Amino acid sequence: SVDAECAVNRYEPNDPAFLALIHKPVFDLTQAVVSLVSFSRGIGLTLCLDELIQPNGEKIPIRSEDTSLISLCTAFDMRTNVSEVMNIVFGDFSLCIAFNELCESLTLTHHAVASCARCIERLRTTMSPGLERKKAWARFRESLQISEAYLKYITQYSEVARHGDPTFIPGTETMEVTRRSWIIVNRFLEYRKRGNVTLLVSEFPVL
């Protein structure tokens, strides 16, 4: 059980951006402590902050979510045809890993851009195993009707993070990288559902 106490010079509970501003450094610092314990004991430990206790004692549940992403998932519905997509994912273990990497963008926000990029690169490799990298990217874009510029937005922001560069990436950019990754993964599922046939521009306009 972890209790992280914060001293702040102002408190704005009705401003989601303010709460996010508090959450990020608190999570990172607390996770660092948990990681030190993990390192010293050789035990894999993961931190989950599940509630915020306000100055007045009221508790607010914390959930890692972005409801704007819900509408971007059109390849399946959890109430109707999720079994079809489950069979697709279970049939290729790399897709299991890709989805885990994508969802890390919500639970580990500072790793969001790198996690999204790894997910997309894994899909590219899954689509064209063994194919030369440049040709594989070309096939990936053509099959999913994605422009090079649209895809590069994701990879360019992830480069510094993947190379260990601590350069700050604005939240607006992180959110856009996540949004684009969600859309691409959704198109990849549509591609798989259609038997790995190139998506039609009439249904999926070029991004």
Side-chain angles (χ1 to χ4, degrees):
S1 179
V2 176
D3 181 14
E5 297 185 5
C6 308
V8 295
N9 60 5
R10 61 188 177 90
Y11 185 68
E12 301 173 16
N14 297 320
D15 182 359
F18 179 78
L19 295 180
L21 191 64
I22 294 178
H23 181 270
K24 286 186 178 182
V26 170
F27 182 90
D28 286 343
L29 292 171
T30 309
Q31 177 64 65
V33 176
V34 173
S35 295
L36 286 174
V37 175
S38 179
F39 180 76
S40 68
R41 302 285 181 85
I43 304 174
L45 301 172
T46 301
L47 173 69
C48 177
L49 297 179
D50 56 8
E51 66 180 13
L52 167 68
I53 303 177
Q54 301 191 83
N56 63 7
E58 181 183 353
K59 297 181 180 180
I60 300 177
I62 298 175
R63 291 194 297 177
S64 300
E65 64 177 3
D66 182 348
T67 55
S68 68
L69 300 173
I70 296 175
S71 63
L72 304 181
C73 175
T74 59
F76 69 96
D77 188 314
M78 290 298 296
R79 296 166 297 181
T80 56
N81 63 337
V82 66
S83 59
E84 178 184 6
V85 173
M86 285 177 64
N87 288 332
I88 291 173
V89 174
F90 289 172
D92 187 340
F93 188 68
S94 63
L95 294 184
C96 297
I97 301 175
F99 270 97
N100 290 341
E101 290 170 331
L102 179 66
C103 293
E104 281 181 359
S105 65
L106 297 179
T107 56
L108 300 173
T109 53
H110 285 336
H111 300 273
V113 291
S115 296
C116 285
R118 281 197 301 270
C119 169
I120 301 304
E121 290 200 33
R122 195 176 299 278
L123 295 185
R124 179 211 71 212
T125 303
T126 299
M127 180 183 288
S128 307
L131 188 63
E132 187 270 325
R133 184 185 180 89
K134 188 174 182 179
K135 293 180 179 178
W137 273 127
R139 182 187 175 196
F140 186 81
R141 295 193 304 269
E142 180 182 348
S143 299
L144 304 185
Q145 303 299 348
I146 301 169
S147 68
E148 185 173 2
Y150 190 90
L151 197 57
K152 190 174 182 181
Y153 189 94
I154 297 173
T155 57
Q156 70 178 7
Y157 276 109
S158 70
E159 187 174 352
V160 292
R162 285 183 294 168
H163 292 170
D165 189 328
T167 300
F168 175 74
I169 300 176
T172 52
E173 307 299 343
T174 298
M175 290 174 63
E176 179 61 16
V177 166
T178 304
R179 188 186 71 84
R180 293 191 183 202
S181 298
W182 234 259
I183 292 173
I184 292 173
V185 171
N186 189 71
R187 288 200 172 191
F188 184 86
L189 288 176
E190 293 286 3
Y191 168 80
R192 278 284 194 257
K193 284 169 57 180
R194 288 162 169 72
N196 301 332
V197 175
T198 297
L199 300 180
L200 297 176
V201 177
S202 57
E203 292 184 67
F204 300 91
V206 177
L207 296 171

